Amino acid sequence: MGKSGLNGFWTRAQKQHVLILASGDTIRHMNIRPWMAGAAVTLAAVGCIGYLGATSYLVMRDSLIGASMARQARMQHDYEDRISALRAQVDRVTSRQLLDQQVVEEKLQSLLEQQMALSARSGKLGSLLDRAGDVGILTSPDASQASSEKADVSEPALNTSAKSNRTKLFGAGLQTSSSTETVADNADRVFQNVTLSLKQIQQSQQARIQSLTAQATEKANAIQAILDRNKIKLDSPAAGEDAMGGPLMPADPKLGFAPTLAGLDGALNRLETARDTVKDMPFANPAPTHEITSPFGNRTDPLLGRLALHPGIDFRAATGAPIKSAGAGKVLVAGEVNGYGNMVEIDHGQGVTTRYGHMSRLNVKTGDMVDEGQVIGFAGSTGRSTGPHLHYEIRRNGVPINPMSFLVSGLKLKELGYQ
């Protein structure tokens, strides 16, 4: 049973398939063996697989290409967005830099204006301080301080070139500033320091000028009081010196320093006028260190022995002792005059004249202009005299007055530094 069953199966398996091909009268047949069927099936399977693979490849390639193009498009958009953001950032930085530069330029211009104003004022202040020294209200230490003050403002704090200004003012500060501090912030800090320095200079100048103005006013008032006691008026200013004018306009608060200079200028003008008046008037002693032997007023005449008016004062002086002019003026008389001997009469203005009598020899002539303290002659005993001495008179409008008032005032003026 077993063998017959296997033989039957094998017999069925060994049956061959015949492929018949007919073409017209020609008939051909081909035995299809199992391996040929397997090969055909294999080739068919390979072809299907190849077809499916090619199709899948084409589909996947299109998908990959599309995905790649989409990715490239996204990258391009990202780059464009980044570039746009960077451009916007650059624009903002540039705009900020332009604004910072504008702020710096404006502040620099403001500082330049302040510096130029201080420099201009320093020229006027320098001349005023020189005048203050001339009239004796500026001592040596003050002069040194004034020189340093003038140097502070006359030495330019800023250059005229904006670029060099920025380099000079902000070079060190900007290099050391933190990364979070902008140029404008650093410029503000530096400008505040420079502005504070300029303000301190201005305040120092104002305080100095106010002090000098007070001193000049005080001395002018003191001299004015002395002149008033002696009925002397201040000399009138030269024509045009006090001439002023112009349209009335509102005050500029930026020019608040000018009135201080004007006040000092006015006080110095008044003090200089008073000083010049003092130099003209006979406040000096014509024979310093010499004793007064006969005062002004009624006395017993040394020659007649009866009461008589002595219109001046007598100074004991040896023959040949120098006699000095008590003030500046013009010589009206220089020669021998009855009773006075060799006499010099000097006109000091405002109706005030001085007479110097009994001199042995004269040192001036009529018409000469003399200065205060100038030697005009030498003591002697010419004319109506009992011995060598100087007869000194002061007359106002031709009327003799007591010279002691002028001599005492001269001592007070000497204390003030004007004799």
Coordinates of all heavy atoms in Angstrom, one line a residue, residues 7 48 206 209 259 311 332 365 381 388:
N7 N 4.3 5.7 -5.4 CA 4.6 5.6 -6.9 C 3.5 6.4 -7.6 O 3.8 7.1 -8.6 CB 4.6 4.2 -7.3 CG 5.9 3.5 -6.8 OD1 6.9 4.1 -6.5 ND2 5.8 2.1 -6.7
C48 N 7.8 42.4 -11.2 CA 6.9 43.1 -10.4 C 7.6 43.9 -9.3 O 7.2 45.1 -9.0 CB 5.9 42.1 -9.8 SG 4.8 41.4 -11.0
Q206 N 32.5 135.6 39.7 CA 31.5 136.5 40.2 C 31.8 136.9 41.7 O 31.6 138.1 42.0 CB 30.1 135.8 40.1 CG 29.6 135.7 38.7 CD 28.3 134.9 38.6 OE1 28.0 134.1 39.5 NE2 27.5 135.2 37.6
I209 N 34.6 139.4 41.6 CA 34.2 140.7 41.1 C 33.3 141.4 42.1 O 33.5 142.6 42.3 CB 33.5 140.5 39.7 CG1 34.5 140.1 38.7 CG2 32.8 141.8 39.3 CD1 33.9 139.8 37.3
P259 N 26.1 142.3 34.1 CA 25.8 143.4 35.0 C 26.9 143.4 36.2 O 27.2 144.5 36.7 CB 24.4 143.1 35.6 CG 23.8 142.4 34.5 CD 24.9 141.5 33.9
P311 N 47.8 184.1 56.4 CA 46.9 183.3 55.5 C 47.4 181.9 55.1 O 46.8 181.3 54.2 CB 46.9 184.2 54.2 CG 48.3 184.9 54.2 CD 48.6 185.1 55.7
L332 N 50.8 179.2 37.8 CA 50.3 180.5 37.4 C 51.4 181.6 37.5 O 51.4 182.5 36.7 CB 49.1 180.8 38.2 CG 47.9 179.9 38.1 CD1 46.7 180.4 39.0 CD2 47.3 179.9 36.7
K365 N 58.7 177.3 35.9 CA 58.5 178.6 35.4 C 57.0 178.7 35.1 O 56.2 177.7 35.0 CB 59.3 178.8 34.1 CG 59.0 177.9 33.0 CD 60.0 178.2 31.8 CE 59.7 177.2 30.6 NZ 59.9 175.8 31.0
S381 N 64.8 182.4 52.5 CA 64.2 183.5 53.4 C 64.1 184.7 52.6 O 64.3 185.8 53.1 CB 65.2 183.7 54.6 OG 64.6 184.6 55.5
P388 N 65.0 181.2 57.3 CA 64.6 180.2 56.3 C 63.4 179.4 56.7 O 63.4 178.8 57.8 CB 65.9 179.4 56.2 CG 67.0 180.2 56.9 CD 66.3 181.0 57.9

